Amino acid sequence: MMEPVQEPGGSTPFGVERDPARVVAFSDAVIAIAITLLVLEIRPPHDTRHLLHGLATLWPSYLAYAVTFMLIGQVWANHHIMFDHIRSADRVVLFLNTVLLMDIAFLPFAASVLADSFRDGHGQRTAVVLHGIAFEFAAVLFNVIWRYACHDRRLLAATIDSAGVTAIGRRFQLALIWLGTGTLLGALLPALGVAVIGAFILYYWLPIAGEIAKARPRRGHGDHS
């Protein structure tokens, strides 16, 4: 197999394809850091004489932590589903994935703003919209990356058929609608917006038809062809 042609200076030409393993590994690291930083936003109460009451008043932090943790977990799971079927990554994929990771790294801040707004009783609409837009932007990037990879199947592996491509694409499109709806409702009724986005968590963990790579049939001992 021929090695990719190198540009002067050793750089790889724009559009040359690469093994996506490093993309997935780097993405896993960023997601792991982001999801860990969430708990650091839950600050323990200072008044230990009324510790139970102090812990109870932190319920907005617990809520923001749980919702954001599970949503980032979905980002991680669906990122793996997507790259299970992307056999190579060119610089467009690298760029789009980098923007996606930039958005994910922002999510602990959005969760902190959400928790503070519900704790203080002010700015809930803005906080829910900020939180929702952050995840809506991630959904947009998932759709763009998947559509780009699926164009003429140039970057797709042979492990997925057209039905699987369509099923994954529809799930990503549904995320746009669902998260967008939750964000808009949050601008009107913050608690309802959070509830709609929270309901999205339960549905989105369901498996997608065609997401598992098809195993090649194993030859029997008597098969000499």
Side-chain angles (χ1 to χ4, degrees):
M1 181 179 294
M2 296 180 61
E3 295 293 330
V5 178
Q6 298 292 312
E7 289 182 342
S11 62
T12 304
F14 186 91
V16 169
E17 300 169 8
R18 299 169 182 81
D19 186 337
R22 291 185 64 186
V23 177
V24 174
F26 179 56
S27 301
D28 284 350
V30 172
I31 293 171
I33 293 172
I35 211 168
T36 302
L37 288 176
L38 288 174
V39 74
L40 299 181
E41 300 299 330
I42 305 178
R43 292 174 287 275
H46 297 292
D47 185 6
T48 55
R49 292 176 300 176
H50 305 91
L51 186 57
L52 183 60
H53 174 73
L55 290 172
T57 59
L58 290 176
W59 69 264
S61 294
Y62 305 146
L63 177 63
Y65 170 78
V67 171
T68 309
F69 193 104
M70 294 304 296
L71 286 172
I72 294 179
Q74 288 180 344
V75 170
W76 172 77
N78 285 284
H79 191 273
H80 271 278
I81 290 170
M82 182 165 60
F83 276 90
D84 281 346
H85 302 296
I86 295 179
R87 62 175 173 78
S88 54
D90 61 14
R91 289 201 181 188
V92 174
V93 172
L94 295 181
F95 171 75
L96 293 173
N97 193 74
T98 299
V99 177
L100 174 62
L101 296 179
M102 180 179 67
D103 181 65
I104 292 170
F106 177 80
L107 294 175
F109 171 76
S112 179
V113 171
L114 183 67
D116 288 345
S117 69
F118 275 89
R119 186 183 306 110
D120 298 338
H122 303 286
Q124 293 99 327
R125 290 183 176 86
T126 301
V128 173
V129 170
L130 174 68
H131 192 265
I133 287 177
F135 280 102
E136 180 75 359
F137 185 51
V140 169
L141 289 167
F142 265 91
N143 278 273
V144 172
I145 294 172
W146 186 244
R147 284 179 175 271
Y148 177 78
C150 293
H151 182 66
D152 295 332
R153 297 186 63 98
R154 185 174 63 85
L155 300 180
L156 288 186
T159 55
I160 187 170
D161 56 19
S162 58
V165 170
T166 301
I168 293 175
R170 285 176 177 170
R171 182 67 67 89
F172 290 170
Q173 291 166 15
L174 177 62
L176 280 175
I177 299 172
W178 199 317
L179 291 171
T181 300
T183 301
L184 291 175
L185 289 174
L188 302 174
L189 298 170
L192 180 59
V194 173
V196 170
I197 293 174
F200 172 78
I201 295 172
L202 299 176
Y203 173 78
Y204 218 65
W205 276 106
L206 297 175
I208 305 173
E211 71 178 67
I212 302 298
K214 294 181 179 179
R216 295 181 179 179
R218 301 176 64 180
R219 295 182 179 181
H221 294 289
D223 188 355
H224 300 287
S225 58

